Amino acid sequence: MIKFFRKIRLNLLSENKFSKYLIYAIGEIILVVIGILIALQINNANEIRKERDKEINSLLNLKADLVSEIGNTERFATYRFEKAIACSTLLNFDEPNSINDVQEYTDTYEKVFIWNTYVPNNNTFKELLSSGNLSRIKNDSIKNKLLELEKHYADISGGEHHMRREYETYLYDPHVKNIRAIPFFDLSKPNYGFPNRLRIEDIPTEQHQQLIENAKWQHNNDLFKNGLRLAYMNNSFLAGMHKNLAEYIQDLIKLIDDEIKK
């Protein structure tokens, strides 16, 4: 097309038809401008598509993390609730008077004592935040809920930190200082992981009375019982936070799904 205009231009110049040449020259310029505009539009469309592809990829990775996180936080909701149940059982337990009572009492307080820290699966969000690519997510509702989700994680972490201090002050320290620790584990044969569990018949009869007295001390000690009450309240509260968090994440996943389908 351009060669065609150039050929006409030469013919017109040779015939001194300047006005017609001018029209064709303007047409040639317009053609070039249109070509440039089309090229820019195609380039912009390609850039928009590339950015959208990156956004979709980030959304898919976020969704994968969140789907995994639902299972994680639901497990912690159950874990915390079971510890609250164990605390309630101990607070309402009859005074241990036999070695069988001691074993039951010990099995229950060990459920309270075991400590696991909640670690959310938010790797994609942290990567987007640290790299400055959070702006890649164009949907403000998704972006705001992701930021709010981090606040939920921080609240749970703060609750755990608070509870850990109370565990150490009211449960762990009085227990270790005043009674025989982990009496139902075989400490003679180290294992990878927990030692083997002892049965009642594995414990010498002459040790039974001391274990009964230890269990009675814990059962009647006000400091230890206050620790159980605090553990009951804190674990119940955190169990509720985890339950609510699972529902919040499910709503966020729906928002992401809707955005991906656009």
Side-chain angles (χ1 to χ4, degrees):
M1 182 65 72
I2 294 176
K3 290 181 178 179
F4 173 74
F5 273 103
R6 287 175 178 171
K7 184 176 180 181
I8 294 176
R9 180 180 62 185
L10 291 172
N11 289 336
L12 290 174
L13 285 172
S14 63
E15 297 174 9
N16 290 323
K17 295 179 180 179
F18 181 76
S19 60
K20 290 185 178 180
Y21 162 74
L22 185 61
I23 292 174
Y24 279 102
I26 293 173
E28 187 176 351
I29 294 171
I30 292 173
L31 181 65
V32 172
V33 171
I34 290 174
I36 293 173
L37 290 175
I38 291 173
L40 287 173
Q41 187 174 11
I42 292 173
N43 184 62
N44 287 339
N46 287 336
E47 289 300 317
I48 291 172
R49 179 182 57 78
K50 289 178 183 178
E51 287 301 312
R52 179 60 176 171
D53 288 345
K54 290 179 181 178
E55 181 185 14
I56 292 296
N57 185 61
S58 294
L59 289 172
L60 288 171
N61 289 335
L62 284 167
K63 179 184 174 180
D65 285 355
L66 292 169
V67 169
S68 172
E69 186 50 37
I70 287 179
N72 185 29
T73 196
E74 286 179 341
R75 283 192 295 274
F76 261 85
T78 301
Y79 165 73
R80 292 294 177 199
F81 190 71
E82 289 177 348
K83 290 170 86 67
I85 291 174
C87 290
S88 178
T89 300
L90 290 172
L91 288 168
N92 294 283
F93 205 93
D94 290 335
E95 184 178 76
N97 288 304
S98 69
I99 191 64
N100 290 301
D101 290 344
V102 172
Q103 185 176 46
E104 184 180 355
Y105 187 86
T106 302
D107 289 345
T108 305
Y109 80 63
E110 283 177 358
K111 291 179 182 178
V112 179
F113 275 30
I114 292 174
W115 184 272
N116 287 310
T117 300
Y118 172 66
V119 180
N121 181 12
N122 58 345
N123 293 329
T124 300
F125 177 80
K126 289 191 294 186
E127 189 278 328
L128 289 172
L129 200 62
S130 63
S131 64
N133 287 325
L134 187 60
S135 59
R136 182 180 295 168
I137 309 301
K138 304 304 179 185
N139 188 313
D140 286 339
S141 295
I142 293 176
K143 195 155 43 180
N144 289 336
K145 284 187 81 68
L146 286 169
L147 292 168
E148 189 66 27
L149 180 59
E150 290 301 299
K151 294 181 181 178
H152 286 292
Y153 292 155
D155 287 342
I156 290 175
S157 177
E160 284 188 342
H161 179 76
H162 173 83
M163 183 168 61
R164 178 72 188 194
R165 181 183 62 81
E166 292 180 347
Y167 259 59
E168 291 174 352
T169 302
Y170 299 108
L171 294 177
Y172 294 156
D173 290 350
H175 173 85
V176 172
K177 290 176 181 177
N178 292 281
I179 72 168
R180 180 180 177 184
I182 53 174
F184 283 89
F185 285 102
D186 183 1
L187 304 182
S188 65
K189 298 177 182 178
N191 286 333
Y192 289 99
F194 282 117
N196 291 326
R197 191 85 180 175
L198 294 175
R199 300 167 300 173
I200 289 177
E201 52 266 32
D202 297 324
I203 299 174
T205 305
E206 60 270 21
Q207 295 181 16
H208 288 189
Q209 188 57 40
Q210 182 60 53
L211 293 178
I212 293 170
E213 294 302 319
N214 286 345
K216 284 184 176 182
W217 180 89
Q218 281 196 157
H219 178 74
N220 294 300
N221 183 265
D222 286 337
L223 183 66
F224 190 79
K225 291 174 76 172
N226 280 336
L228 291 174
R229 293 185 182 100
L230 291 170
Y232 171 84
M233 294 292 292
N234 287 321
N235 279 292
S236 296
F237 181 70
L238 284 170
M241 291 183 72
H242 280 290
K243 187 173 182 295
N244 293 335
L245 179 61
E247 296 173 359
Y248 183 93
I249 292 174
Q250 287 171 343
D251 291 341
L252 179 51
I253 289 174
K254 185 178 184 306
L255 272 180
I256 291 175
D257 281 337
D258 291 343
E259 179 62 29
I260 291 174
K261 292 175 184 177
K262 289 183 181 178

